[in-house]
Amino acid sequence: MVLTEAKKNTVPLIDAAEAARRHLLSEDSLRRMRLVPIGSPAARTAKEDGTFTYYFDPSKVKEAPANYKYGRKLSDTAPADKPPAPAGEMRRVSARQAAAQGLFPTEVLVRMYYEPTEAPVAYYVKKSGERVELYDRAACRRLPLPCAKCGDAVRYRAKLCRSCYEAELAERREAGDKKRTAYYGMDRSRVLFFDLELTGVFDHDEILSVSIINGNGETVLHTLTRPQRQKSWKRTEKIHGITPEMVKDAPTLADITPQLIEIFNRAERLIAFGTSTDFSHLRRIYKTRAERDRMHEKLLDCATEFAHYIHEHEVELTHLSLTDAMTHFSLDWTGTAHTSLADTDACRKVFEALFPHYFESEAI
């Protein structure tokens, strides 16, 4: 494989240790293993003589054919018997070599939405004798892409032109607003909001507190829990403020499991601001898959609903956290943010801002 100078300079530059950590294969390794790359180099390292060693992704190589002859290295100069073409003179290549080196004629570049900005660098000759001039795509200007829907106007956002994007956005916004302003007639006492505080963010971490309130804002359960394996959690302690000392006499998750199951079984809907992490821990209180599935069917993610609302109304928010949601709807916190009870109540307030008629019936 031969790369143009422009393409060589775009290959990420790393050190040998990083290449080894990523299990990348050098050109020499490919030769010894009788492999050939099927993609561009993934990285390169600089050598003392000013040249580079190129590395390839091991998932993008294949076994070399029996009669395969390895060409020159990417870092090598042209062989002595084939000196580079003099400055200003184009070199001749085959059509196959041209595509491999990222060289294309004007009509192909236009179809790919590129425009040449420099003189052709090579050419090949068709069987008819016609000479086809080739341009380096890396040195070409990228042309604006057309709308993926109408195919006419230039893309504005999400692969669509402004007109198509705004029309599609209006449809999504109308459907979203219809869902959010609907009357659901849910029983406030059987719609529960919950939040957990954890020793960390991974599945192997443990629960430190559980808070559950109902649609009336009444506390159904609020308790600290004592982890069984971990003795400290410095990183998350800085966020939620729960120390090992605070939970040393608290019940374990196993101790409160019967109570949790009873509470969740009575609920019609379970709502949290980000349900995936909490559910990955709460699912362990159930013994069977059927029980876990029944709980999962009751879950509703307030964070997802807030994200839909923001994207449909094109609100310029760079983050979509619970704090961002509270600020956007001008809601006041009850308690200290990032504690489970305060976050649970905040989730309830955000959800009612998104779904103002969730607990109402049209018949009322």
Side-chain angles (χ1 to χ4, degrees):
M1 177 183 291
V2 180
L3 296 184
T4 62
E5 288 301 321
K7 286 195 172 183
K8 286 183 182 180
N9 294 332
T10 63
V11 178
L13 186 62
I14 62 174
D15 57 29
E18 175 65 12
R21 188 187 69 79
R22 292 167 56 182
H23 305 290
L24 299 179
L25 299 175
S26 68
E27 297 166 90
D28 288 336
S29 296
L30 293 180
R31 284 177 168 81
R32 289 195 302 270
M33 299 168 70
R34 293 298 300 172
L35 299 173
V36 292
I38 56 175
S40 299
R44 56 179 174 151
T45 59
K47 296 193 290 189
E48 293 183 358
D49 61 2
T51 59
F52 298 95
T53 298
Y54 288 82
Y55 294 87
F56 297 84
D57 187 333
S59 66
K60 296 181 179 180
V61 298
K62 65 179 181 180
E63 185 177 354
N67 59 349
Y68 185 82
K69 294 184 179 180
Y70 287 90
R72 67 178 186 270
K73 296 182 181 180
L74 293 171
S75 52
D76 288 341
T77 58
D81 59 337
K82 292 186 178 180
E89 182 179 328
M90 291 186 289
R91 68 182 188 277
R92 179 174 176 173
V93 297
S94 68
R96 180 178 296 182
Q97 289 173 330
Q101 296 174 32
L103 306 178
F104 302 94
T106 304
E107 60 271 19
V108 174
L109 289 171
V110 170
R111 291 199 299 270
M112 298 166 64
Y113 297 98
Y114 283 94
E115 180 182 67
T117 57
E118 298 179 0
V121 296
Y123 70 94
Y124 69 81
V125 179
K126 294 183 177 180
K127 291 182 178 179
S128 63
E130 179 185 356
R131 171 170 162 151
V132 179
E133 295 184 338
L134 303 169
Y135 300 83
D136 186 350
R137 186 176 64 177
C140 293
R141 182 173 69 89
R142 187 71 154 121
L143 296 173
L145 297 174
C147 173
K149 187 173 184 178
C150 69
D152 297 327
V154 173
R155 292 182 184 182
Y156 163 68
R157 188 175 295 178
K159 297 184 179 181
L160 303 176
C161 65
R162 180 183 287 272
S163 177
C164 290
Y165 173 79
E166 291 180 349
E168 184 176 283
L169 179 64
E171 291 180 7
R172 289 191 288 112
R173 183 188 300 128
E174 181 180 2
D177 287 345
K178 183 177 180 180
K179 172 186 174 182
R180 286 185 287 269
T181 57
Y183 290 77
Y184 291 87
M186 298 293 288
D187 183 346
R188 286 182 178 271
S189 66
R190 299 187 66 188
V191 175
L192 303 182
F193 299 83
F194 69 94
D195 185 63
L196 310 178
E197 296 301 339
L198 308 168
T199 58
V201 298
F202 301 104
D203 283 349
H204 64 260
D205 285 300
E206 297 179 82
I207 298 175
L208 293 172
S209 70
V210 181
S211 295
I212 304 172
I213 64 175
N214 61 25
N216 293 310
E218 301 165 340
T219 301
V220 177
L221 175 68
H222 174 56
T223 181
L224 294 173
T225 59
R226 185 176 76 255
Q228 296 296 283
R229 300 183 306 278
Q230 293 169 274
K231 304 302 180 183
S232 64
W233 41 89
K234 295 295 185 181
R235 179 174 296 182
T236 55
E237 181 183 326
K238 296 177 182 178
I239 300 173
H240 49 57
I242 300 175
T243 66
E245 180 68 21
M246 292 169 64
V247 300
K248 69 176 184 178
D249 297 321
T252 65
L253 179 62
D255 293 332
I256 65 171
T257 286
Q259 186 180 7
L260 280 175
I261 292 177
E262 182 183 358
I263 291 171
F264 290 151
N265 285 348
R266 291 200 308 264
E268 290 186 20
R269 180 67 69 193
L270 301 171
I271 303 173
F273 201 90
T275 58
S276 60
T277 300
D278 289 352
F279 177 69
S280 69
H281 291 274
L282 291 174
R283 66 193 298 272
R284 297 170 185 163
I285 69 176
Y286 296 104
K287 295 181 179 179
T288 67
R289 180 172 181 176
E291 291 175 306
R292 292 192 290 270
D293 290 344
R294 280 195 292 272
M295 180 190 177
H296 191 267
E297 289 172 359
K298 296 180 180 182
L299 291 176
L300 194 158
D301 194 339
C302 185
T304 299
E305 297 299 336
F306 179 61
H308 288 328
Y309 163 81
I310 290 299
H311 294 146
E312 290 163 8
H313 289 264
E314 290 195 298
V315 179
E316 295 298 328
L317 283 181
T318 56
H319 298 92
L320 300 178
S321 67
L322 181 57
T323 301
D324 295 317
M326 290 288 284
T327 301
H328 175 75
F329 289 118
S330 301
L331 300 172
D332 295 325
W333 287 85
T334 301
T336 304
H338 305 308
T339 59
S340 60
L341 191 60
D343 285 2
T344 304
D345 189 59
C347 176
R348 179 183 67 85
K349 292 176 178 177
V350 170
F351 185 79
E352 287 209 56
L354 290 167
F355 292 82
H357 307 301
Y358 196 71
F359 300 106
E360 300 175 17
S361 171
E362 291 180 288
I364 297 177

